[in-house]
Structure formats: structure tokens, C-alpha cells
Amino acid sequence: MAATDTVSPPAKRSGMRWLVVAIPFAWLLIFFLIPFFNVFKISLSTRARALPPYKPVFDLSEGLSGLWSQIQQLSPATYLQLVSDSKYWQAYLSSLQIALISTVLILVVAYPIAYGMARTRAEWRGALVMLVILPFWTSFLIRVYAWIGILGNEGLLNGFLLWTGVIDRPLTILTTNWAVYIGIVYSYLPFMILPLYATLEKMDDTLLEAAADLGCPPIQAFWKITFPLSLPGVIAGCFLVFIPITGEFVIPELLGGSGTMMIGKTLWYEFFNNRNWPLASAVAVVLLLILVVPIVLFQNVLQANEAKK
Amino acid sequence: MRKGQSWFNTTSVALGFAFLYAPIIILVMYSFNDSKLVTVWGGFSTRWYFELLQDQAMLDAAWITLRLAFVSATVATLLGTLAAITLVRFGRFLGRSVFSGMIYAPLVMPDVITGLSLLLLFVALGVDRGFWTVTLAHVTLTMCFVAIVVQSRLVAFDRNLEEAALDLGCPPFKTFLVITLPLILPGVIAGWMLAFTLSLDDLVIASFTTGPGATTLPMKIFSQVKFGVTPEINAISTILIAIVATGVLIASLVGKRREVERQKAERLALRGG
């Protein structure tokens, strides 16, 4: 790493060097950061029967005085609506709840898989990692869609359970929160397995041997040694799944029913079905404010993990 | 390792992979089902693939999606590689934390937020929405994934090789092309592929930023899925899975081979030196 830190003498630097920073920086500034300010501005607008369906639109043709009167038209009305109408804050709460429960479920399912992978023979591990990555590269939409055919009333799972005689009437799984949890755990599992595997694979086995030699039972050794050492992977994985699940749209839309309330779905409906752009923007701004803390923590975790390398 | 533990490990890995793969295998199987009902097996048939070939709207969407993925992945790879070099090589500079924040945040940002904010930007700028607005949106999202993949490659890279070339008077840009790029190439290729599949896959951001005449395949699939499961969707899914799986397998085999050759070359160079 020492070599990376040595700065080459200025004479060697090309004059074009700054472009390397400037191009991606400008791109992300224009297409990622600045749009958020625009969303915030529109969230303060009011709905209008026009194109675009909100006002004011900050038309500069009326000069500075026109601009000032347009600024005065901005109002926090959409935010008051978010607070006063219970369906919005209930959607936020239920998204956070679903995200939290799913994160725990994913961790519980992913840990033994990652642990088992890290303990297989070294020559197989590459292939196993490949097998985890492969479904994660195939379409998210298709993987969610596959569950519709399995979980439906006339789906394969019910068909199988009826055939074995475990149940005598089909279970309603699709269009309930159960289906949403199954879909989320399934879709986000690789995001948890990979960081967990990365930390577990690097673990020094002799620590466990030492614990066993000193008479520590395997389960206690796991909680005292393996789990604490895998914490960086656990934390990275949890953030990696929790944040996007909170804003998830596709899974609750396809697998959930009308009773499944998630804020991503609310935003989509306000935008596409009600064409209420200011309200959809306010929903996005509040969601972003809720997620800012986990996002910043996630970045710190990534940077800390990077620095350790 | 104790015997009991390895039994537990084998079972958890086997169950985990069964869970990951069963839905995909079932989906592929039922794309060859002659019956229109998903639960009834009506015998082996390729009729849904033939029906797919007749569905002009679906084929148009597939063609648009492939072009979109190709263009956006290529631009995203260029920008993402520059961003990775910035992150690894430029040390501290003014605005660095803003920059790295803008690289990491899109990785976890819910699609609905990214999609909405880009759409509102395009509306504010008065741009006609369509193929190019979706391309811009996909580049913005996927360049961050490319940056992360290339970054991990750059961190693992022996800086002395570059220093040597520069000391011997090789101009910086040529050094990059001759020394740096070939060494980080596997990361760049992996980044391109990741960007390609992410773009191929995206429903939410494309739905927000698209315009008339630019319906992508995921949008088409999504609108049909809402009316129920059809074997035709299973067929197109199977084709997509096959394309991606082949691509990823070839890339990983090539990557492994290059890695082995590189290590061999390095050993030879060390012995010779």
C-alpha cells in the first residue's frame, strides 16, 4: 500500500489530469445530486392541470419580479398532506417494518450458507461464489415473476401441498405480506451472502482450533470468535439490503396485495396513477431524509472496509 | 473441522442453493410446457418460443433494450473507470467526500427516487423523453457499479509498474494505455457486463425516464405479468437467463485463464530479472 501513497512528482503529471476527476464528477453532479434539489423544489409546488402538471414552473420570461412571485407560490402543503393523511405515514412505517424484518430474515438465511461456503474445500469455493452471483445477474423482475407461478392459489406450492395431503384447501400466499417477505428474502439473498462470505473466508481457522483445545464448545466458540470477526460483513450486508428494500416497488407490486403498503408503491401510484407530481416528490424527499442516516453509515462502513484492505 | 459441523455446512449450502435455483429451474421448465396453464404439465413443446417470434411488439422491445444496454454500459464503463481512478489514485482533493458519496449512494438508492428525480430533471430541462433519456439515466446508475468493480482491481495493483514506465520517460497517457489498462482490464470487462445486465434488467428507472416509442423489455414484461403468468413470458425469461448465464460463465472462464497466465508471466519476469 505504501506505493499507492507516493505522489508522483508534479513534472510527471499531465495537464489533462484534472479531466479524469472532472468528467465523472460533473456527470454525477448534474445527473445525481442536482436532481434532488429539483425534486425538493417540485415537492413545494402545487398540482396544476397543465404540462408539466405542477406550478410554478419558474418561467424566466417574466423577469426577476415574475420569478419572485413564482417563489412566493411555493408552499409546504404537500408535506402537511403527508403528515395529516395517515395512509402516507403508515406506508413509511410499514416499509421500515418490512425492511427491518426482511433484513433479519435474510441475515438468518444467508449466514449458514456463507459459513458453509467458507468451510468447503478451497478448490470449490470459486465455483460456489459463481453460483451465488449467477442468479443475481439474471433479471430481478424475472426472479420475482417466477414466484407468482409458485405461490399462486393454483400455483406449484399449493398443488404440491394438496397432492401430499398436508392441506385440503389451497393456502392464500400470493397477495399477502408472506409472499412479499419470500420475494424479498429470495431477491436480496446474494447481497448478504457475498459480504458475509468475504469476511468468513478470510478468518483464521487456528483461532477456532485454539478455542477447541482450551475446551470451548463449538457453539460458544461461534458466538465468541466467528460471529464477532464476521461483523464487518454482517453490517455491510445489512445496509446493502435494508436501504433498497425500504424503497422497493417491484416486489410488493407483483407479489403483495392491496393490503401491502410500501412507500415505493405509494410514490409510484401518486406519480403514474394520480399524476400528482408534487406529492410524489414530497414522498421521495421524506424517504430520502429517512434513508440519509443509513446511507451515510453505509458509506462509512464501505470506506472503513476499504481502508482495512 | 469436526464431522458434525461439516454435515451442517453441506446441508446449509445445499438447501441455500436449492432455494436460489428452484424458482429459476421451474420457470425454465414451464417455458417448454405445451399447456397454457402453469400448473398443468401438457407435455414438452417449443410453441411458446415460436409464438414469441411472432410477437412483433415484444421483439421491438427486446431490440430497444439490447441497444440501450449496450450504449449505456459502454458509456458507463468509460465514466466508471475514470471515477475508479479518481477514487484510488487522486488521494485527497477538494470535494472528495462529495465525490465518493455520489459513487456509493446510487448503489443503495431506491430506484423510485433515482427515477423520479431524473425524470423531473428532464422535464425541467425541457428534453424530449425517449431512448436517450433512459440511456442517460442508466449510465448514471451503472457507472457507480463499474467504479466499485474497477476500484477493487486498481487497489490490488502493483503501482511500481506504472512508476517504472513513467521514470523511463513514458508519457502518462501512454503509460495508462500500455501498463494500467491491460492490468485492470478484467475489472473493466466485469464492470461493463454488470452495467449491461443492470440496464437490461431495470424496470423502475426506465418507466420514469422513458417516452413514447421507447418501451423496454422489462416494461413490456411487467405490463403483461400484471394480467397473469403466461408461458410466453417464461420463454422470453428463459432466453434472457440463457444469454446472461452464458456471458457470465465465459467471462469468468476467460478471467481465470488470464489470471493464471498473468501469474505465470509475473513469475517468469521475476526469475528473468
Side-chain angles (χ1 to χ4, degrees), chain A residues 138-153:
Chain A
T138 56
S139 171
F140 188 79
L141 183 62
I142 290 172
R143 281 182 295 141
V144 175
Y145 161 78
W147 282 99
I148 300 178
I150 298 172
L151 298 175
N153 272 354

Side-chain angles (χ1 to χ4, degrees), chain A residues 12 131 139 145 154 186 271, chain B residues 20-21 39 119 167 201 234:
Chain A
K12 276 183 201 158
L131 280 173
S139 171
Y145 161 78
E154 285 158 12
Y186 179 70
F271 184 84
Chain B
L20 279 177
Y21 278 90
T39 39
L119 167 81
D167 283 342
D201 195 22
N234 284 6

Side-chain angles (χ1 to χ4, degrees), chain A residues 12 20-21 23 25 27 31 38-39 112-113 115 119 130-131 135 139-141 145 154 156 186 271 281 299 303, chain B residues 9 12 16 19-21 26 39 79 90 99-101 117-120 139-140 167 172 201 229-230 234 248:
Chain A
K12 276 183 201 158
V20 174
V21 186
I23 295 171
F25 202 119
W27 183 286
F31 294 110
N38 187 42
V39 173
I113 302 174
Y115 188 86
R119 291 283 167 278
M130 200 61 230
L131 280 173
S139 171
F140 188 79
L141 183 62
Y145 161 78
E154 285 158 12
L156 284 172
Y186 179 70
F271 184 84
S281 304
Q299 286 170 1
Q303 270 157 357
Chain B
N9 292 340
S12 56
F19 178 60
L20 279 177
Y21 278 90
I26 291 169
T39 39
L79 289 171
F90 278 63
F99 186 73
S100 65
S117 66
L118 277 165
L119 167 81
L120 294 177
V139 169
T140 310
D167 283 342
D201 195 22
V229 177
T230 64
N234 284 6
V248 172

Side-chain angles (χ1 to χ4, degrees), chain A residues 145-163 170 174, chain B residues 26 29-31 33-43 48 229-231 234:
Chain A
Y145 161 78
W147 282 99
I148 300 178
I150 298 172
L151 298 175
N153 272 354
E154 285 158 12
L156 284 172
L157 184 65
N158 270 319
F160 177 74
L161 290 176
L162 285 170
W163 177 74
L174 198 66
Chain B
I26 291 169
M29 235 169 66
Y30 275 85
S31 75
N33 183 7
D34 194 47
S35 162
K36 203 170 168 61
L37 292 167
V38 258
T39 39
V40 183
W41 181 255
W48 304 109
V229 177
T230 64
N234 284 6

